[in-house]
Amino acid sequence: GAVVSQHPSRVICKSGTSVKIECRSLDFQATTMFWYRQFPKKSLMLMATSNEGSKATYEQGVEKDKFLINHASLTLSTLTVTSAHPEDSSFYICSAREGTANEKLFFGSGTQLSVL
Amino acid sequence: GENVEQHPSTLSVQEGDSAVIKCTYSDSASNYFPWYKQELGKRPQLIIDIRSNVGEKKDQRIAVTLNKTAKHFSLHITETQPEDSAVYFCAAVNSGYALNFGKGTSLLVTP
């Protein structure tokens, strides 16, 4: 199956700093990528839909200025958590859909963010 | 938007027994329903999926059924093994082709 690479797998940062997470589709072109957030023992909550070459679509309640998404190429989307605070600590995971009509989603390995 | 309900939240079975997890969805336009297995700290892994033009799909010990009229779909695991222990998520695709997930079922298979 298709491979989605996510980096870094774990990051610890100080409150007030920004953190960038990368999501790459390794063997396919992803016109659309999705960013999810998962708290311990909870479900995956969709944060935003990232479309190559256009602005991301954010879900209700997700601050677009807080979680900056860039999808500049067909193989790379980035999520930047700006001015991170302890409440932003979570497991962030991206997923990518190959092509435009195939619903199968492939997930990255996730990034565990801990803000001190 | 799509709302996916999943039950039960926890399920404990003995090795060899069957496990059933049920989900309902709200958007009648949803047409793709995958099931994911997630082990602690790992990415969700697709284990089986079903499209709305099919009522049942089976892959070895795993099967999924879909009742489109009632907007129900279920995961069935037969002959459970300890390595089946994990959190299972159902999902339904929304109009933007993103997946909306259920809240998950923590399955424990005891030897």
Side-chain angles (χ1 to χ4, degrees), chain A residues 31 97-102, chain B residues 97:
Chain A
T31 55
R97 179 162 53 85
E98 185 177 6
T100 57
N102 187 340
Chain B
Y97 293 105

Side-chain angles (χ1 to χ4, degrees), chain B residues 21-109:
Chain B
I21 303 171
K22 298 182 178 182
C23 288
T24 61
Y25 61 99
S26 60
D27 188 350
S28 57
S30 293
N31 58 7
Y32 175 65
F33 308 93
W35 285 88
Y36 286 85
K37 176 183 180 182
Q38 187 180 29
E39 297 176 353
L40 190 64
K42 302 271 183 78
R43 77 184 82 192
Q45 298 279 4
L46 178 68
I47 56 171
I48 196 167
D49 57 9
I50 191 167
R51 299 184 190 277
S52 58
N53 58 349
V54 176
E56 184 174 358
K57 184 177 178 181
K58 189 174 181 180
D59 182 4
Q60 298 182 344
R61 297 187 296 109
I62 296 173
V64 57
T65 59
L66 171 65
N67 182 328
K68 197 177 174 185
T69 304
K71 290 188 271 189
H72 290 173
F73 58 114
S74 300
L75 177 71
H76 304 252
I77 306 174
T78 58
E79 300 172 34
T80 53
Q81 301 165 4
E83 50 265 38
D84 294 329
S85 297
V87 180
Y88 292 80
F89 292 99
C90 63
V93 70
N94 67 17
S95 58
Y97 293 105
L99 289 177
N100 287 107
F101 286 86
K103 292 189 175 181
T105 296
S106 180
L107 173 64
L108 176 64
V109 181

Side-chain angles (χ1 to χ4, degrees), chain B residues 1-12:
Chain B
E2 177 68 275
N3 183 39
V4 179
E5 298 286 337
Q6 182 172 348
H7 300 279
S9 56
T10 60
L11 179 60
S12 182

Side-chain angles (χ1 to χ4, degrees), chain A residues 54-93:
Chain A
S54 64
K55 290 183 179 179
T57 304
Y58 290 82
E59 294 299 300
Q60 192 172 11
V62 179
E63 299 176 60
K64 61 180 181 180
D65 295 330
K66 172 77 171 176
F67 300 99
L68 300 179
I69 291 173
N70 184 281
H71 193 160
S73 78
L74 286 171
T75 59
L76 174 63
S77 175
T78 61
L79 168 68
T80 301
V81 183
T82 62
S83 187
H85 290 282
E87 57 265 30
D88 299 324
S89 299
S90 187
F91 188 62
Y92 294 87
I93 190 163

Side-chain angles (χ1 to χ4, degrees), chain A:
Chain A
V3 178
V4 176
S5 173
Q6 186 172 343
H7 180 81
S9 58
R10 179 177 291 273
V11 60
I12 300 172
C13 69
K14 291 183 178 179
S15 186
T17 59
S18 294
V19 174
K20 180 185 281 189
I21 302 169
E22 293 188 347
C23 181
R24 295 179 185 274
S25 55
L26 296 186
D27 51 0
F28 67 101
Q29 292 186 330
T31 55
T32 305
M33 291 186 176
F34 305 94
W35 286 94
Y36 288 86
R37 182 175 182 177
Q38 187 176 34
F39 290 105
K41 299 185 179 181
K42 298 294 184 182
S43 187
L44 295 100
M45 299 302 297
L46 179 65
M47 297 175 66
T49 301
S50 170
N51 296 298
E52 185 269 334
S54 64
K55 290 183 179 179
T57 304
Y58 290 82
E59 294 299 300
Q60 192 172 11
V62 179
E63 299 176 60
K64 61 180 181 180
D65 295 330
K66 172 77 171 176
F67 300 99
L68 300 179
I69 291 173
N70 184 281
H71 193 160
S73 78
L74 286 171
T75 59
L76 174 63
S77 175
T78 61
L79 168 68
T80 301
V81 183
T82 62
S83 187
H85 290 282
E87 57 265 30
D88 299 324
S89 299
S90 187
F91 188 62
Y92 294 87
I93 190 163
C94 69
S95 66
R97 179 162 53 85
E98 185 177 6
T100 57
N102 187 340
E103 299 98 333
K104 286 188 189 290
L105 287 186
F106 301 95
F107 282 88
S109 53
T111 298
Q112 183 63 52
L113 171 63
S114 299
V115 184
L116 304 178

